[in-house]
Amino acid sequence: MSRTLIKNIKTIYTSIKKPPVKGKDMSNILEIQAGYILIEDETIKEIGSVYKGKETDVSFVYDATNLILIPGLIDSHTHLVFGGSREHEFSKKIAGIPYLDILKQGGGILNTVQQTKNASFEELYDQAKKSLDQMLLFGVTSLEAKSGYGLLLDTEVKQLEVLKKLNENHPIDIKITYLGAHALPTEYIDKRDKYIEQVQRDLEIIKSKNLAEFVDVFCEVGVFSADESKKIFKKALKLGFKLRLHSDEIESIGGTKLAINLNAKSVDHLMAITDEDIIRISKSNTIANLLPSTSFFLNKNYAPARKMIDSGVAIAVSSDYNPGSTPSENYQLTLQIAGNKLRMLPKEILTAATINPAYSLDIADSVGTIEVNKKADLVLLDAKNLDYFIYHYGINHTKAVFKNGKLVVNNKTLVKE
Ligand code: NIG
Ligand code: FE
């Protein structure tokens, strides 16, 4: 058995609320000053102020003087695996051409679909692994990742298999989502119904190969309607998938209500959420997954986070990492934008980056808080306090990361096996 002691921690910050953590409970954060953590193998064994055992009984001691400790960050919405990049669309975006117009002209998601189709398994794997390494350096220890740049089955399966292999090989835990309904493939223009039927059939194959745990749909004007989303979701539920939904990013067309009624784990984006749906989600166990980096990069409005918190909604904040609307692996920047633009407080943001996303991914029993018997997924930050972490923006505050009790980032660099 290996025992690790992290000692002299300036302050330990963690939520201790039972998830989903809603409304004002989001700012209920336990703070332990001058603390220590004792880890046995993968698991947190002790948390306290003064370690009473002998340091010689411990295999590894980490001196965390001047560092603060938070739970491993959990990014519950990414499009991690894709071919190529889309910097050629950046100037169109700067010139003010709307996102959905670029998509209509065969660009946007459809451009990445072509590049993902052309890329080999190894190319996709290597590119995504590079991103994962970056994310780990920023303190992310678990994340959700979607397909959705294949649309047609073969490339969707290729993306999902890349994710499966990355999950086996990389320290970050990956929860996998099938997003065949991310855009209408060019092959199905004027045959919308046929594509919905195709996705329903593909779901059976994805299930039989055990390639995904969740199913997502991009429910938006010009993409998929609430009715089409419902057809896909009904089939997904029958097959035993759990649900997430891209909804209310640009307009509110009924997806949020649908997802909540079907007990979806999360509804994501929500920049255009209606007051009615804010009440509806506050009464449910569905997490409102806000993606402020996307608003930032697309120069769009921000989700009404304050109103949601005041109405008792449980919020997560995620990166939405993807080549079109959020080409940045810097999850800490996302959290800092949540402070500045969603007007969320640092304690609320910590809840939204740890226990609530863990809940939406069904991993809250083992991660998302610093508690005895949970996995030792921990991030040491070179920051004076939690407020400083959110306020001093754009840099990487991570000093060290423990994943399953193992030191995987030390002195801001990846620890090689
Ligand atoms: O979540 N909104 C839909 N999907 C992505 C964008 C994907 C892309 O542009 O490639 C998003 O923002
Ligand atoms: Fe997305």
Side-chain angles (χ1 to χ4, degrees), residues 77 79 146 182 246 269 291 320 322:
H77 183 138
H79 303 250
K146 308 168 196 300
H182 194 195
H246 282 71
H269 282 296
L291 316 172
D320 197 19
N322 75 72

Side-chain angles (χ1 to χ4, degrees), residues 58 60 141 175 216 224 231 241 252 269 272 298 306 322 326 348 373 394 416:
V58 170
F60 177 54
T141 49
K175 304 301 274 180
D216 193 347
F224 295 104
K231 286 183 184 148
F241 288 102
S252 185
H269 282 296
L298 296 179
R306 275 281 37 107
N322 75 72
T326 325
E348 294 166 344
N373 291 331
K416 294 283 170 225

